Amino acid sequence: MAIAAIRCETIRVVFDNRTGKQTILDGLDLDVPIGQIVTLLGPSGCGKSTLLRVVAGLTQATEGTVTIEGKSVAQSQNKLAFVFQESALLPWRTVWQNVRLPWELRRGLGAGELQSRLECVLELVGFKPADWNKKPHQLSGGMKMRASIARALITQPDILLLDEPFAALDDMLRSKLNDLLLKIVEQTQTTMLFVTHNISEAIYLSHSIAVFSHGRIGERIEVDLPFPRTAAVRSSPEFAAMYGRVSQSLARNASV
Ligand code: ADP
């Protein structure tokens, strides 16, 4: 069997809340192939963020195992980076200084290499040099998110975990940033595990969609639309048919 970027086996997560024990993930299995975008889709509260946090090693699973390229999560911290819904940039730092922060924390690169890597990721996400010295309050919501993605890429992770990164943005910006993620995967072969509520976004971005059902993946849908994904793909009858199929799966899997 080919080695997966991420392999989750029989993951169980039980939280001890005030109201008693709550089982959020209940024997969940998921494989994410190397270099692909896999989207987690499901209603609010079904456990998508919890699964992402388990993969990142931020939440401990009650049972089950996660392996990253065949190794344990603890051995793989430098392979992973997380992008949250809030860009979480430090307000007193410029774009350049924010993006270099993970490098400062890890101290893995020489100054020359850092400089060229910073230039490379900022260019990749669409920042002009004139904007590199701006502070977060001088940036639009879309530019803040671009800086947040650049910060995640600075350590050259093999895997990006993205938790509804574009939920607060309007549709136009969301489409532009979807295209940015596709460009990043094409140019860097980064694997992405992406959480969204948005069916169109899930279809447009993904190689496959994992639909949640009662703490597990109820259905895995391969998105057999051609790459590169373009505006023409978005308006094709095949896209509309896929939308219908995913909506039905979501309704079926979420029902009791
Ligand atoms: P989703 O991302 O699908 O919206 P979450 O994974 O954020 O869902 O949350 C699933 C459920 O787990 C929610 O009911 C949430 O309140 C609960 N939950 C999440 N994290 C914790 C925690 N650390 N302690 C207790 N309950 C939690």
Side-chain angles (χ1 to χ4, degrees):
M1 191 163 32
I3 204 165
I6 304 170
R7 173 158 295 150
C8 301
E9 291 172 286
T10 53
I11 300 294
R12 204 170 131 76
V13 172
V14 181
F15 288 125
D16 213 348
N17 289 326
R18 271 201 203 149
T19 47
K21 289 194 188 297
Q22 193 186 6
T23 302
I24 305 300
L25 302 179
D26 195 7
L28 180 145
D29 293 315
L30 178 75
D31 265 17
V32 179
I34 290 174
Q36 294 203 357
I37 303 185
V38 173
T39 294
L40 304 176
L41 197 63
S44 188
C46 72
K48 304 181 294 297
S49 299
T50 300
L51 179 60
L52 226 52
R53 292 176 64 80
V54 168
V55 171
L58 300 171
T59 294
Q60 184 72 40
T62 313
E63 282 170 36
T65 52
V66 177
T67 45
I68 308 294
E69 293 171 2
K71 299 207 169 104
S72 74
V73 173
Q75 290 173 298
S76 314
Q77 285 306 303
N78 57 358
K79 290 188 186 297
L80 297 165
F82 215 118
V83 178
F84 299 93
Q85 186 177 337
E86 303 78 29
S87 56
L89 301 171
L90 298 176
W92 58 89
R93 282 185 162 232
T94 63
V95 167
W96 178 270
Q97 291 165 340
N98 265 291
V99 173
R100 60 176 279 168
L101 189 63
W103 172 81
E104 287 173 24
L105 298 174
R106 281 191 193 155
R107 302 212 161 270
L109 304 175
E113 196 183 342
L114 173 65
Q115 173 88 14
S116 62
R117 207 183 272 184
L118 272 166
E119 288 173 7
C120 185
V121 290
L122 283 168
E123 198 183 313
L124 178 63
V125 303
F127 262 97
K128 304 245 172 346
D131 295 326
W132 292 355
N133 283 319
K134 287 191 173 161
K135 297 264 178 71
H137 75 271
Q138 296 171 290
L139 302 175
S140 64
M143 292 308 270
K144 281 186 196 155
M145 189 44 73
R146 285 174 194 270
S148 174
I149 293 169
R151 183 182 51 192
L153 292 174
I154 191 71
T155 56
Q156 293 186 311
D158 291 351
I159 298 167
L160 268 190
L161 306 172
L162 302 109
D163 195 357
E164 301 208 47
F166 312 139
L169 304 178
D170 65 50
D171 282 353
M172 281 275 281
L173 261 179
R174 188 194 279 264
S175 320
K176 282 191 179 162
L177 289 165
N178 286 170
D179 286 334
L180 172 63
L181 292 186
L182 289 169
K183 183 172 99 173
I184 291 168
V185 170
E186 196 187 317
Q187 292 191 7
T188 66
Q189 282 79 52
T190 308
T191 304
M192 300 196 189
L193 184 57
F194 188 89
V195 167
T196 185
H197 283 105
N198 186 302
I199 297 175
S200 293
E201 179 172 59
I203 296 169
Y204 189 69
L205 279 180
S206 311
H207 292 81
S208 72
I209 298 174
V211 182
F212 268 69
S213 175
H214 308 288
R216 298 180 190 200
I217 303 307
E219 188 175 3
R220 181 78 172 251
I221 300 175
E222 298 301 320
V223 183
D224 52 359
L225 299 172
F227 285 94
R229 301 270 162 90
T230 58
V233 172
R234 215 189 266 282
S235 52
S236 66
E238 291 79 13
F239 192 97
M242 184 58 72
Y243 191 100
R245 185 171 162 208
V246 175
S247 320
Q248 282 169 13
S249 173
L250 201 52
R252 205 171 40 246
N253 281 295
S255 64
V256 181

